[in-house]
Amino acid sequence: MSFVHAHRGVRIAGCGSSLPERRLTNADLEKMMDTSDEWIVKRTGISERRVFDRDHGPSTAKLGEQALREALADADLAPTDLDLLVVATMTADMPTPGVGPTVAAALECGNVGAMDINAACSGFVFSLNVAHEMTRSGRYQNVGVIGVDTITRFVDYSTYGRGAAILFGDAASAFIIRADADERLGLIAETMHTDGHGAKHLFIPTCAEQFYEDEYDDRKVGRVQMNGQAVFKFAVKKFPEVIEQTLEKAGLAAEDVDHYVCHQANARILEAARDRFGLAPERLTVNIDRYGNTVAASCPLVFDELKQAGRVEPGQKVMFIAFGAGLTWGASLWQL
Ligand code: ACO
């Protein structure tokens, strides 16, 4: 394909989300493991999360499909208008095919290019950066970007697995990004980083050989393994660092950004970032109380809620920020 427009703008033309109906409250968890509402709220800010029904509920692809359908309706586009589909997920239903091809077929998008990107909780931000460049370059016109994970399949809801089990929820959220004649719209700056040496702090082993040091236990195979304190320290350091780095690239000050749309991993991490940059609560929205950590769906879900509440307007600047397993971290700063 030729480069029709070497320089053009990119617009977030629509967004939509899909959440499983089942609510898992802290009171429910109290019945399943040795924990308490007080402990969970104090350490994480989470009150409830959504989980898909393991027996009858929607799969990762199904949740992603519903979110993309909503986003297409919001953008007033048909599935066949898409010419690229990028799905951020670390919990595809099968090793292959990916969620992208399955969603594209379910929505009858035609032979659209469709793929998955796995960067854990940073997946949506990384995917947004990639999709933006494919659109800005003139190669693609209408791109679907989905963040979806059903991570609760990989947590152990017993006292043994309580460290990670309380944190996570399932969700999908999607954007439609479109080429736009207004060159000012789109990415102002982006940042993407990984440190594979930190993989041992957050991983899902599939066999005994994948464990670090002497930590193997059969109960841990196929379950999220997380060194909560190490991840917490990493996040508290990298969150402000990546915001500063991205602001510097853009030549902007913290107060120039209208919304900091952050990965919801822990309310304490988000509040620390707010304090560090002197941000009013409405500039950095926290919705972890209702959904927990929804991995790749986390950032777009916050943005979708802001949009539904009428708080997103043309002319605003929005920074998406995430960190996660890998370890990965990154940001995407947009002019709306
Ligand atoms: N309920 C009650 N007690 C618990 C629970 C629980 N669910 N989990 C752990 N405890 C206990 C521990 O056993 C420990 O007891 P002890 O002192 O008797 O040994 C005590 O509480 C403290 O445990 P810590 O793990 O030190 O608790 P901490 O204050 O670090 O909080 C938490 C744990 C909430 C997980 C925190 O470390 C955190 O949020 N870390 C970041 C995690 C994160 O962001 N992960 C997602 C990354 S995104 C991705 O890519 C998937």
Side-chain angles (χ1 to χ4, degrees):
M1 194 179 288
S2 63
F3 289 84
V4 184
H5 304 286
H7 297 286
R8 56 184 185 170
V10 181
R11 189 159 57 89
I12 299 172
C15 56
S17 303
S18 174
L19 291 155
E21 277 177 27
R22 188 174 155 222
R23 287 182 153 82
L24 185 67
T25 65
N26 291 351
D28 295 328
L29 290 175
E30 283 175 353
K31 292 176 201 142
M32 299 158 82
M33 61 182 74
D34 179 13
T35 192
S36 68
D37 175 54
E38 191 195 353
W39 192 97
I40 300 171
V41 171
K42 191 169 161 221
R43 302 280 173 124
T44 70
I46 302 168
S47 295
E48 63 176 50
R49 60 294 282 147
R50 302 294 186 93
V51 296
F52 84 70
D53 187 323
R54 291 182 194 210
D55 299 324
H56 310 291
S59 63
T60 300
K62 196 76 193 161
L63 270 185
E65 176 197 328
Q66 286 161 355
L68 184 63
R69 209 184 285 280
E70 297 287 324
L72 283 165
D74 191 41
D76 209 11
L77 289 179
T80 46
D81 292 325
L82 289 182
D83 45 18
L84 187 67
L85 177 60
V86 184
V87 181
T89 187
M90 59 173 250
T91 54
D93 298 306
M94 292 185 266
T96 197
V99 176
T102 309
V103 169
L107 282 183
E108 297 293 352
C109 295
N111 298 128
V112 58
M115 72 196 87
D116 295 1
I117 289 181
N118 180 346
C121 297
S122 306
F124 187 82
V125 169
F126 282 23
S127 298
L128 198 55
N129 289 339
V130 170
H132 176 278
E133 292 310 299
M134 299 301 275
T135 314
R136 173 88 92 192
S137 69
R139 285 191 176 101
Y140 294 91
Q141 187 74 25
N142 300 318
V143 182
V145 188
I146 307 174
V148 57
D149 274 296
T150 54
I151 192 171
T152 66
R153 285 189 284 148
F154 300 99
V155 302
D156 170 4
Y157 288 108
S158 74
T159 297
Y160 188 70
R162 67 182 178 175
I166 55 146
L167 292 177
F168 295 107
D170 301 329
S173 192
F175 282 8
I176 305 298
I177 66 170
R178 299 195 70 179
D180 195 282
D182 187 344
E183 287 181 17
R184 291 167 302 178
L185 307 188
L187 261 188
I188 306 169
E190 56 79 27
T191 314
M192 294 192 277
H193 293 291
T194 64
D195 175 11
H197 298 293
K200 63 183 175 195
H201 298 313
L202 189 49
F203 65 107
I204 303 178
T206 59
C207 61
E209 289 70 28
Q210 289 168 339
F211 283 83
Y212 296 86
E213 293 144 15
D214 295 326
E215 303 210 319
Y216 170 71
D217 181 322
D218 199 38
R219 288 176 292 178
K220 295 179 179 175
V221 175
R223 303 287 178 217
V224 176
Q225 299 306 307
M226 185 181 73
N227 178 341
Q229 289 194 4
V231 177
F232 193 88
K233 272 189 207 144
F234 153 75
V236 164
K237 183 166 181 285
K238 292 300 179 193
F239 228 67
E241 209 174 277
V242 78
I243 292 175
E244 261 166 15
Q245 206 178 9
T246 312
L247 287 171
E248 202 178 301
K249 280 187 187 177
L252 294 173
E255 59 269 25
D256 296 330
V257 175
D258 298 280
H259 294 292
Y260 290 85
V261 175
C262 300
H263 172 51
Q264 309 280 307
N266 186 315
R268 286 189 292 154
I269 296 171
L270 299 174
E271 280 152 15
R274 263 186 194 155
D275 291 347
R276 168 88 166 67
F277 293 98
L279 302 172
E282 60 271 18
R283 293 253 208 133
L284 195 161
T285 297
V286 177
N287 69 4
I288 194 171
D289 51 319
R290 284 168 288 138
Y291 308 120
N293 177 346
T294 58
V295 192
S298 177
C299 281
L301 192 57
V302 171
F303 185 82
D304 191 22
E305 285 202 338
L306 286 172
K307 190 161 182 247
Q308 300 300 330
R311 291 175 55 198
V312 173
E313 286 167 25
Q316 288 182 335
K317 292 181 177 60
V318 178
M319 193 190 295
F320 301 91
I321 309 127
F323 68 90
L327 299 169
T328 55
W329 64 103
S332 187
L333 174 58
W334 285 66
Q335 176 67 61
L336 301 186

